[in-house]
């Protein structure tokens, strides 16, 4: 098959639907700006260009002359079996370019090349993204670093964790998970706004945050709680993070900024029984986490553990990167597909049919099965996706109404 490709299409996103403003009226007006809209559209396009580049760098094009599944491609190309998830993501990402087509036979999905893709002009396109907003460099740097590692991970020469969380990778994560990063800080804000709304009538606030990273989500939550007059009710805030480097950085920065607040720090594994970390039944009014629970090994187990930690009227509030429609590939996944913690999870046909990010309905079903009441997804992503199918973030809340104090009842 010829390697002559069609001309690269121009980056020309459609105008933002004005009805989005009404859907997002509960959030700070500056948050969902035209810059954010164009930045997200740009990241979607840039991830497609990177996927095209990876199609060639991984020599996948020649193997797509006939129908093959991601598992079959890994076998033919001698990739590690666990790389099949990343392979499938690359191919699903390229279906909208029409250079790759897919078909589904039962539980199996196969792919075939329709025509060679265009030659991506990554440097030219990157300049466009930085012109939209210079802070986009934070996301672009991490996307590019992750993409550069795909061949080595595919061939088992190194793991994604070793490379992305090594000396070169950690600074990129710190820049990405930062409130100066336009495309990421929206995750923190949506979560904080919903948490404040859930806790408006709570007389006291005892908070457990899981997977706090370097602290950008904590920083946003504290700032919003301060603005809403909730901080005087704060009796305890336990901030947990398993990565020692991130945890120390979080503690260093926030303990200096909020000297008067009852902040504590600890390591924490959401996949282990939470009482082994010293968490008692009914100890907290809020369990909070931003972009954490989608990587829980057993999602229902971790949701049950969160409910175990909550008082009888307490709330679980999580912010999550969202898949608007089932199996829809989205740009942040390029960073995570080579991480075993992202792909090596228990799947469930109802709540998590595939590793990675969930849809709003899957989160609703998961919260309900874990015994939470008054489950809500905010903003109204079901309506928003009809106006804008690239809206990728939401917050989910559920209230604990259980009265049992038996830890074993929460471990199933």
């Amino acid at each position: 098959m010829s390697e002559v490709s069609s001309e690269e299409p121009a980056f020309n996103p459609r105008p933002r639907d004005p009805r989005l403003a009404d859907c997002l009226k509960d959030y700070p007006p500056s948050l969902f700006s035209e810059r954010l809209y164009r930045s997200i559209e740009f990241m979607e396009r840039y991830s497609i260009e990177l996927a095209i580049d990876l199609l060639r760098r991984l020599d996948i094009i020649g193997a797509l002359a006939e129908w093959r599944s991601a598992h079959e491609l890994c076998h033919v190309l001698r990739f590690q079996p666990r790389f099949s998830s990343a392979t499938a993501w690359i191919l699903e990402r390229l279906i909208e370019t029409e250079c790759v087509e897919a078909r589904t036979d039962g539980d199996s999905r196969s792919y075939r090349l329709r025509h060679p893709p265009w030659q991506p002009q990554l440097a030219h396109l990157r300049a466009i993204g930085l012109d939209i907003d210079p802070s986009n460099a934070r996301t672009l740097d991490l996307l590019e670093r992750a993409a550069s590692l795909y061949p080595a991970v595919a061939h088992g020469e190194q793991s994604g964790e070793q490379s992305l969380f090594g000396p070169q990778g950690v600074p990129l994560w710190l820049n990405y998970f930062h409130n100066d990063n336009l495309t990421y800080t929206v995750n923190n804000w949506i979560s904080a706004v919903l948490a404040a709304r859930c806790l408006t009538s709570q007389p006291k606030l005892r908070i457990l945050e899981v997977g706090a990273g370097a602290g950008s989500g904590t920083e946003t939550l504290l700032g919003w709680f301060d603005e809403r007059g909730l901080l005087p009710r704060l009796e305890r805030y336990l901030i947990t993070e398993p990565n020692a480097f991130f945890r120390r950085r979080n503690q260093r920065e926030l303990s200096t900024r909020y000297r008067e607040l009852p902040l504590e720090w600890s390591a924490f594994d959401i996949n282990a029984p939470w009482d082994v970390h010293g968490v008692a039944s009914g100890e907290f009014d809020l369990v909070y986490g931003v972009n954490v629970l989608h990587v829980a090994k057993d999602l229902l187990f971790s949701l049950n553990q969160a409910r175990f930690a909550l008082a009888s009227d307490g709330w679980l509030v999580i912010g999550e990167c969202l898949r608007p429609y089932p199996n829809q590939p989205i740009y942040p996944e390029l960073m995570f597909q080579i991480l075993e913690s992202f792909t090596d999870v228990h799947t469930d046909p109802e709540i998590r049919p595939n590793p990675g990010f969930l849809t709003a309905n899957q989160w609703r079903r998961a919260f309900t099965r874990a015994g939470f009441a008054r489950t809500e997804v905010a903003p109204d992503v079901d309506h928003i996706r009809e106006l804008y199918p690239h809206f990728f973030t939401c917050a989910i809340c559920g209230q604990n109404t259980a009265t049992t104090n038996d830890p074993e009842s929460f471990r199933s």
Side-chain angles (χ1 to χ4, degrees), residues 69-103:
S69 69
H71 288 285
E72 289 169 338
L73 284 166
C74 285
H75 176 71
V76 168
L77 296 169
R78 298 184 179 181
F79 295 163
Q80 296 293 301
R82 64 175 179 269
F83 196 71
S84 62
S85 179
T87 302
W89 182 87
I90 292 170
L91 297 169
E92 291 289 338
R93 178 81 284 188
L94 295 180
I95 289 173
E96 62 191 275
T97 70
E98 299 185 350
C99 69
V100 170
E101 59 183 335
R103 69 181 185 188

Side-chain angles (χ1 to χ4, degrees), residues 143-183:
L143 284 170
E144 291 164 0
R145 172 64 177 167
S148 74
L149 299 171
Y150 269 55
V153 174
H155 293 289
E157 296 166 4
Q158 55 187 288
S159 73
E161 272 80 2
Q162 288 172 334
S163 302
L164 274 181
F165 289 96
Q168 289 181 290
V170 166
L172 300 180
W173 287 111
L174 291 174
N175 283 336
Y176 176 74
F177 292 124
H178 197 285
N179 284 321
D180 287 341
N181 182 4
L182 189 67
T183 57

Side-chain angles (χ1 to χ4, degrees), residues 237-256:
Y237 194 151
L238 176 57
I239 304 163
T240 70
E241 165 56 42
N243 184 291
F245 178 82
F246 289 163
R247 187 172 65 251
R248 288 193 297 268
R249 185 183 177 94
N250 181 320
Q251 182 172 3
R252 183 171 63 250
E253 294 193 1
L254 293 178
S255 61
T256 300

Side-chain angles (χ1 to χ4, degrees), residues 107-407:
D107 295 331
S108 177
R109 191 152 167 87
S110 300
Y111 307 89
R112 184 173 66 178
L113 191 72
R114 296 184 67 226
H115 60 77
W118 61 82
Q119 182 65 43
Q121 304 296 319
L122 293 171
H124 169 71
L125 200 59
R126 179 186 171 100
I128 293 174
L130 297 180
D131 187 59
I132 294 171
D133 192 287
S135 76
N136 284 332
R138 296 171 179 268
T139 300
L140 290 173
D141 289 346
L142 190 53
L143 284 170
E144 291 164 0
R145 172 64 177 167
S148 74
L149 299 171
Y150 269 55
V153 174
H155 293 289
E157 296 166 4
Q158 55 187 288
S159 73
E161 272 80 2
Q162 288 172 334
S163 302
L164 274 181
F165 289 96
Q168 289 181 290
V170 166
L172 300 180
W173 287 111
L174 291 174
N175 283 336
Y176 176 74
F177 292 124
H178 197 285
N179 284 321
D180 287 341
N181 182 4
L182 189 67
T183 57
Y184 181 76
T185 189
V186 62
N187 294 267
N188 292 332
W189 275 101
I190 284 179
S191 311
V193 169
L194 182 59
R197 181 154 59 84
C198 289
L199 297 175
T200 298
S201 61
Q202 293 279 19
K204 63 180 183 299
L205 301 179
R206 300 164 299 169
I207 301 172
L208 166 64
E209 182 175 359
V210 295
S216 67
T218 317
E219 177 186 17
T220 301
L221 186 71
L222 289 172
W224 186 244
F225 274 26
D226 190 22
E227 186 170 329
R228 309 304 291 178
L230 296 176
L231 282 189
R233 304 184 209 167
L234 186 63
E235 293 188 357
R236 185 186 184 197
Y237 194 151
L238 176 57
I239 304 163
T240 70
E241 165 56 42
N243 184 291
F245 178 82
F246 289 163
R247 187 172 65 251
R248 288 193 297 268
R249 185 183 177 94
N250 181 320
Q251 182 172 3
R252 183 171 63 250
E253 294 193 1
L254 293 178
S255 61
T256 300
R257 186 177 309 177
Y258 295 102
R259 295 179 185 275
E260 74 286 0
L261 295 182
L263 305 181
E264 309 167 35
W265 283 266
S266 175
F268 202 87
D269 178 6
I270 61 171
N271 297 312
W274 290 18
D275 57 339
V276 305
H277 297 295
V279 173
S281 174
E283 189 173 0
F284 295 96
D285 306 293
L286 171 67
V287 173
Y288 186 71
V290 180
N291 281 327
V292 178
L293 283 181
H294 67 269
V295 295
K297 187 81 170 179
D298 181 335
L299 181 56
L300 286 179
F301 170 83
S302 295
L303 288 173
N304 271 300
Q305 291 300 291
R307 191 162 62 87
F308 157 77
L310 286 168
S312 60
D313 58 348
W315 289 89
L316 171 64
V317 177
I318 61 172
E320 282 289 340
C321 196
L322 183 76
R323 199 186 302 279
Y325 294 94
N327 301 317
Q328 177 181 349
I330 60 179
Y331 80 85
E333 292 172 303
L334 189 149
M335 311 167 193
F336 303 115
Q337 282 290 348
I338 57 173
L339 300 176
E340 290 186 38
S341 59
F342 188 77
T343 59
D344 187 19
V345 296
H346 298 167
T347 56
D348 180 293
E350 183 180 46
I351 64 172
R352 184 160 62 177
N354 302 297
F357 300 120
L358 282 66
T359 66
N361 278 337
Q362 287 164 356
W363 278 118
R364 291 187 186 102
R365 289 193 290 266
F367 269 56
T368 299
R369 279 177 55 180
F372 286 97
R374 299 177 64 184
T375 297
E376 179 185 350
V377 177
D380 184 1
V381 292
D382 296 314
H383 179 50
I384 288 173
R385 70 181 182 178
E386 299 174 4
L387 308 175
Y388 181 42
H390 294 161
F391 192 90
F392 299 142
T393 189
C394 72
I396 309 100
C397 68
Q399 190 173 36
N400 177 38
T401 56
T403 57
T404 179
N405 289 321
D406 179 12

